[in-house]
Amino acid sequence: MTTPTDFLLWVRGPGFDIALVVFILGVIIRLLEVLVLGRKHDYSEPRGGELGPGLKTVVTRTLPETGSFKRAPFTVIGGYIWHIGFFISLFLFVPHIELINATLGLSWPGIASNLVDAVAAVTIVTLIAMLFSRLTHPVKRYLSGPEDYLTWLVTFLPMLTGYLAYHRMIDPYPLVLGLHILSVEVLMIVFPFTKLMHAFTFFIARWYNGAMSGRRGVQS
Amino acid sequence: MADHMKRFRQTLGESLRERGVSRRGFLKYCTATASMMALPPTMVPAVAAALEKAKRPSVIWLSFQECTGCTESITRSHSPSLENLIFDHISLDYHHTLQVASGDAAEAAREAAMHENEGKYLVVVDGSIPLGNPGFSTIAGISNLQMMEETVAGAAAVIAVGSCAAFGGLPQANPNPTGAASVSDIVHDKPVVNVSGCPPIPTVITGVLAHFLTFGSLPELDALGRPMVFYGQSIHDRCYRRPFYDKGLFAETFDDEGARKGWCLYRLGCKGPMAYNACATTKWNQGVSWPVESGHGCLGCSEPDFWDAGGFYNALSIPDSDIIRNAGIVTAAGVALGAAAGALNRSTRAKAAAKHETVTIDDLDRKS
Amino acid sequence: MQKLQDIAVRVESKDVPLNHSNATPILHEIHHALQRLATQQETTTIDLRAIPFGPGDEEDLLNRLGTGEVQIELDSLGTSKLWETAFSGVWIIDHRNAEGERVALQIEVTRVPEIIQTHPDDVTDSLQLLDNQLNPNRTETSGLREE
Ligand code: SF4
Ligand code: SF4
């Protein structure tokens, strides 16, 4: 007999273990795959440092470039809103911090749950709007492949189920909590093998761009 | 018996007056009853009007695979006390732990009550029903299943008191040796009200019975068949420690400073977020306190499978396994595999470089 | 898996709050009720059993309401106590059963609590009773007749 409680126990037990293994293995393999490859030694004489400009680009590229902001303000602003909202919901919601503390022993102060609730609502609406624009904007639509829709879905579901669980909109509670954890596990499994990897690789890419330009003595 | 039958035909108002209860006494009684039924005080006049005319229903109480905790609980019921519940609210015609008669006389009382009140009596069940082998639990040589089917056939409704009767409870916990089933697993053609809890709060049991007496109907039920008035909100949503949960202030151990200051018990395994029950407002022992107030997390005793919900002292959403150890092993494996993948890429690149033939302008000229 | 024995018990008891500040919202509710009583003669009853109080909250509420001039004892199915708080028009009704256990605790915002006012039927009953006492020989009683 499978009850909602059995389901919850499975997702937070074996289900979580599977997801964790796939996530960690996947991320490390994909990172090392790139890093071990290395770069050909550059014999030219450096005209500037690498470290400083590299770090600088990691930060500066976080700010929108004025040209693309003017051309697609909605995409840029929407992108910021939901990324920030996602991080707030993930890392500043007290039960999440509690989970990380219980499992990894790391802890930091959270913010009031009802504030996170409001942020989550905004994030969900923004994600839906972003999908809508992707589907209706001819260029975005042309540029989107199945992977884009998949990554949207696996990012959206944890937000949605989390919201439903917080407000107990699905009964019984173990079911909706289990669904929320399951959706996160799906995200963890899909993560290393899709463009979601950018959460790790963007540091490397930006640093490399900056470092390379720095070495050549040009601005990045 | 004649006296008993007379009292049974009387309305509650008549019988109270006969016992010299004044109008103020009656109003007080109605106030207490409405409060017990978790009705707003504005409903007191309606309760009074209904109770005045109410006729006490016959109740047959069947105890199956149980620990008598539920009966213990109802005997702690203070408003109304068990005595006035038996005498005023209901006519408890069969309860093999509480009744004086035993053996054949007891069974005869059950059959008489069923016969006289055909179609109108209430059956209260506490304990689960073993489906594995009828011999696992019998009363007067009758198997639990048979007794229940027989008794429920002529009943108006069945009230499953306690998590065992409502959801299988402890007898059904892994690996369920007796094949324990809940009342609603077996009874499909009668209304079943689940008054869950291990045990249920005394006044919640009597409150449900009082509702039937007062309004002659069953209260509104939630998806799990539990009365909404008592089970409509989670422990967590009504917990006085909740503001601390929202702020992220958690007790680390029992009775530490945080626990005493009222900080949340989530880390100590509190199942309040998944448990729907009236503990946070009705409280226990005549309103003295309740588990979370005493410093122990909620066990979620009013929910299905609470015995198997992964340990009473484990927080609800926290994975069971040793994440750090697993993550360590997986990271090591990942580094090895990643290095191997990297090495493979390197060798592919080296091979490509080796195979690479240098082309000069002369070569191009020659080819064209 | 965390086990019961893994959780240490540590007793420290400095700065333990005396209550959990749940009295204040009730006082606001009473404030609104008093307003309604003052302007529209509307009475309000608050059932304190339905309020999720923490330890000390009930005492805090009762302390903050204080005690006024009137205290009433009602002897019927056990002894209930009723008293007007320091805020006129705000009454506490503490119903107890014969064993002295509390069966209801309510705040009534009213001029006189409902249960204290004599029921009209009780008035006629008592008239009859007194009538019988004054005229023990009359068989047919007619206390209600206007003379
Ligand atoms: S003690 Fe339990 S019920 Fe109360 S807030 Fe904490 S988790 Fe919720
Ligand atoms: S606090 Fe939880 S475990 Fe305790 S009696 Fe209430 S519902 Fe059951």
Side-chain angles (χ1 to χ4, degrees), chain B residues 283-294:
Chain B
K283 305 191 178 178
W284 285 80
N285 298 324
Q286 295 139 39
V288 170
S289 179
W290 62 293
V292 168
E293 184 171 336
S294 315

Side-chain angles (χ1 to χ4, degrees), chain B residues 235 275 277 279 284 290-291 298-302:
Chain B
I235 295 285
N277 205 342
C279 305
W284 285 80
W290 62 293
C298 167
L299 307 179
C301 77
S302 55

Side-chain angles (χ1 to χ4, degrees), chain B residues 15 18 44 50 66 70 74 155 157 190 210 249 270 285 296 311 334 355:
Chain B
S15 91
E18 196 166 277
V44 171
E66 43 86 45
C70 293
I74 200 176
K190 298 276 172 184
L249 294 172
C270 183
N285 298 324
H296 192 288
K355 277 203 203 123

Side-chain angles (χ1 to χ4, degrees), chain B residues 22-74:
Chain B
S22 70
R23 288 201 171 80
R24 283 203 184 92
F26 183 64
L27 188 57
K28 170 172 167 179
Y29 181 90
C30 294
T31 304
T33 305
S35 170
M36 180 181 66
M37 285 191 281
L39 294 174
T42 45
M43 289 289 285
V44 171
V47 169
L51 279 179
E52 174 68 43
K53 288 192 232 87
K55 292 220 173 80
R56 301 174 318 140
S58 166
V59 172
I60 297 177
W61 186 301
L62 304 175
S63 298
F64 299 140
Q65 293 193 124
E66 43 86 45
C67 66
T68 315
C70 293
T71 296
E72 284 287 338
S73 178
I74 200 176

Side-chain angles (χ1 to χ4, degrees), chain B residues 167-314:
Chain B
F167 306 127
L170 174 58
Q172 201 189 59
N174 239 340
N176 190 4
T178 61
S182 69
V183 171
S184 51
D185 286 340
I186 297 165
V187 177
H188 299 293
D189 54 348
K190 298 276 172 184
V192 177
V193 180
N194 287 329
V195 182
S196 63
C198 193
I201 303 175
T203 48
V204 169
I205 310 178
T206 47
V208 173
L209 293 171
H211 187 105
F212 187 78
L213 163 85
T214 313
F215 301 114
S217 63
L218 296 171
E220 193 197 338
L221 305 179
D222 74 0
L224 291 172
R226 300 175 296 193
M228 289 291 275
V229 277
F230 301 114
Y231 298 89
Q233 271 169 314
S234 71
I235 295 285
H236 186 58
D237 285 344
R238 310 229 74 186
C239 177
Y240 75 95
R241 295 182 188 261
R242 177 63 185 270
F244 297 104
Y245 170 92
D246 288 332
K247 277 186 237 155
L249 294 172
F250 297 96
E252 298 286 343
T253 70
F254 291 120
D255 223 15
D256 69 1
E257 209 180 326
R260 292 182 156 231
K261 279 184 182 156
W263 293 4
C264 169
L265 305 174
Y266 186 79
R267 263 192 203 162
L268 304 177
C270 183
K271 302 290 183 298
M274 72 168 230
Y276 289 77
N277 205 342
C279 305
T281 46
T282 303
K283 305 191 178 178
W284 285 80
N285 298 324
Q286 295 139 39
V288 170
S289 179
W290 62 293
V292 168
E293 184 171 336
S294 315
H296 192 288
C298 167
L299 307 179
C301 77
S302 55
E303 298 305 305
D305 309 314
F306 82 101
W307 285 101
D308 292 326
F312 290 160
Y313 302 98
N314 282 346

Side-chain angles (χ1 to χ4, degrees), chain B residues 17 21-25, chain C residues 115 117-129:
Chain B
R17 261 193 302 285
V21 173
S22 70
R23 288 201 171 80
R24 283 203 184 92
Chain C
I115 200 164
Q117 299 174 39
T118 310
H119 194 281
D121 292 352
D122 279 336
V123 177
T124 48
D125 285 357
S126 69
L127 183 57
Q128 179 121 36
L129 216 62

